[in-house]
Amino acid sequence: MSGTDAAPDVVGASEEAIAKGSKSFAAAARLFAPRMREDTVMLYAWCRHCDDVVDGQELGHGRIASAQTPAERLDALFEETRRAYRGAPSSHPAFAAFAEVVRRNDIPERHPLDLLEGFRMDVEGRRYDTLDDTLTYCYHVAGVVGVMMALIMGARDEVVLDRASDLGLGFQLTNISRDVIEDAGIGRIYVPGTFLDMEGVPETEIAAPGHRAAVAAAVARLLDVAEPYYEQAVIGMGALPFRAAAAVGAARCVYRAIGTEVRRRGPKAWDARVSTTKAQKIGYLMQGIGLALSTRRSGPQPPRPKHLWTRPR
């Protein structure tokens, strides 16, 4: 690879990963400037690869044969990630892409390792009794990705990085809300136990049809929690280059809309997976541009509220 451009085959493999793995993210990424988009899709390819390796899947779909346990596969990812930081070559396109993107953007090693620690929480079957427990998980699997994305966008101020983490928290709280029944089917429950207790839902019965209304109430509470994090993300957009802010704004609109629809459907939210249409995505892209423009006109930004959960530093 040259000092300025990643190898075409590495970028091509990364583009294929994002196209197959996340249509929403792929749509928003079109707003990035070319170099930033290249870095974004390379980071996405690594994140997707690691997630799939731990789950024994291919781009989130179907199972692949493996003689290793999930814990063993995760340990191998930790080792290969550390090797990438030591400059060791990798034959896998996702790790070749990863090595390039962290080098080009000076991404500290602790951030990708934090993401892998999030995968460890799933492998170990971690319980989430309190909201803080759930938010800690959300940081490790999504908030830290927001931080790495912000670094790709040129952000270095810690408060801006906090707000990038906030957007990841909002995304993951929305994902948890949308997928709560599906996740429970494989033994993963991310809704705080205290929220379920308030609605009288035993953890072992969260997927039972008779509890749909109560689960919807717990999920609505979780979506309420997401709102201030989505709002902080808008404030943070003001520190990003315009095209980057527009892409972030579009992604925010898409995911927040998914949460809004989950809330609107109530107990029927899990009869069919909530998603957005191509036409809606185009509308959210335009909304993202509007949000980015609004951050160019605003004055001094308010401080981030101290009561919000804050990423570890």
Side-chain angles (χ1 to χ4, degrees):
M1 297 179 189
S2 69
T4 57
D5 297 302
D9 57 335
V10 170
V11 177
S14 301
E15 290 278 6
E16 182 180 358
I18 194 172
K20 291 181 178 178
S22 176
K23 292 181 173 60
S24 295
F25 193 76
R30 292 191 184 98
L31 293 174
F32 286 120
R35 167 65 180 265
M36 197 176 292
R37 174 182 165 77
E38 187 173 277
D39 286 345
T40 296
V41 298
M42 288 196 295
L43 179 63
Y44 176 90
W46 176 78
C47 294
R48 177 81 265 178
H49 171 71
C50 292
D51 193 11
D52 285 345
V53 166
V54 173
D55 284 345
Q57 294 182 321
E58 182 66 31
L59 291 173
H61 307 287
R63 293 283 164 182
I64 55 176
S66 175
Q68 294 180 307
T69 66
E72 290 170 336
R73 295 196 295 268
L74 180 59
D75 287 343
L77 290 172
F78 268 102
E79 176 57 27
E80 194 160 4
T81 300
R82 293 187 177 103
R83 281 171 48 81
Y85 272 90
R86 296 196 297 267
S90 175
S91 59
H92 197 287
F95 268 96
F98 172 75
E100 181 71 358
V101 75
V102 299
R103 182 190 65 78
R104 295 203 311 197
N105 297 280
D106 195 24
I107 296 175
E109 184 177 9
R110 70 179 184 275
H111 294 323
L113 294 183
D114 269 351
L115 177 63
L116 295 180
E117 288 295 343
F119 297 149
R120 190 187 302 281
M121 294 178 186
D122 281 335
V123 168
E124 294 178 349
R126 190 78 58 92
R127 290 174 57 88
Y128 305 97
D129 295 324
T130 68
L131 177 59
D132 273 2
D133 292 339
T134 295
L135 290 172
T136 298
Y137 173 76
C138 290
Y139 168 73
H140 278 282
V141 297
V144 74
V145 178
V147 172
M148 290 190 284
M149 284 293 303
L151 291 170
I152 287 173
M153 297 174 202
R156 292 298 183 270
D157 180 86
E158 292 293 341
V159 175
V160 175
L161 297 180
D162 287 342
R163 285 171 167 146
S165 172
D166 288 341
L167 183 59
L169 298 183
F171 284 174
Q172 192 60 28
L173 290 169
T174 298
N175 282 336
I176 288 170
S177 299
R178 177 178 62 179
D179 300 335
V180 59
I181 302 301
E182 181 181 344
D183 287 338
I186 57 173
R188 294 179 179 177
I189 300 172
Y190 305 110
V191 178
T194 52
F195 285 24
L196 296 174
D197 290 343
M198 281 187 276
E199 303 302 333
V201 181
E203 277 194 2
T204 55
E205 299 177 21
I206 193 171
H211 290 303
R212 284 292 191 272
V215 171
V219 160
R221 192 186 305 273
L222 200 62
L223 290 169
D224 287 342
V225 170
E227 283 301 299
Y229 296 101
Y230 276 127
E231 292 308 310
Q232 289 302 304
V234 174
I235 296 172
M237 285 165 51
L240 302 177
F242 177 75
R243 289 182 63 170
V248 169
R252 175 195 178 274
C253 289
V254 168
Y255 277 89
R256 188 169 176 272
I258 289 171
T260 299
E261 180 63 11
V262 168
R263 187 197 299 273
R264 187 193 69 78
R265 292 186 188 183
K268 296 183 178 180
W270 305 284
D271 291 352
R273 183 177 175 83
V274 176
S275 60
T276 54
T277 66
K278 184 175 181 180
Q280 287 173 324
K281 286 184 177 70
I282 292 171
Y284 296 136
L285 289 175
M286 300 308 296
Q287 287 184 33
I289 292 171
L291 278 176
L293 285 170
S294 72
T295 64
R296 309 297 114 163
R297 297 192 295 266
S298 56
Q301 302 296 349
R304 184 175 180 276
K306 292 185 178 179
H307 71 275
L308 292 181
W309 192 94
T310 303
R311 68 189 174 95
R313 295 191 183 172

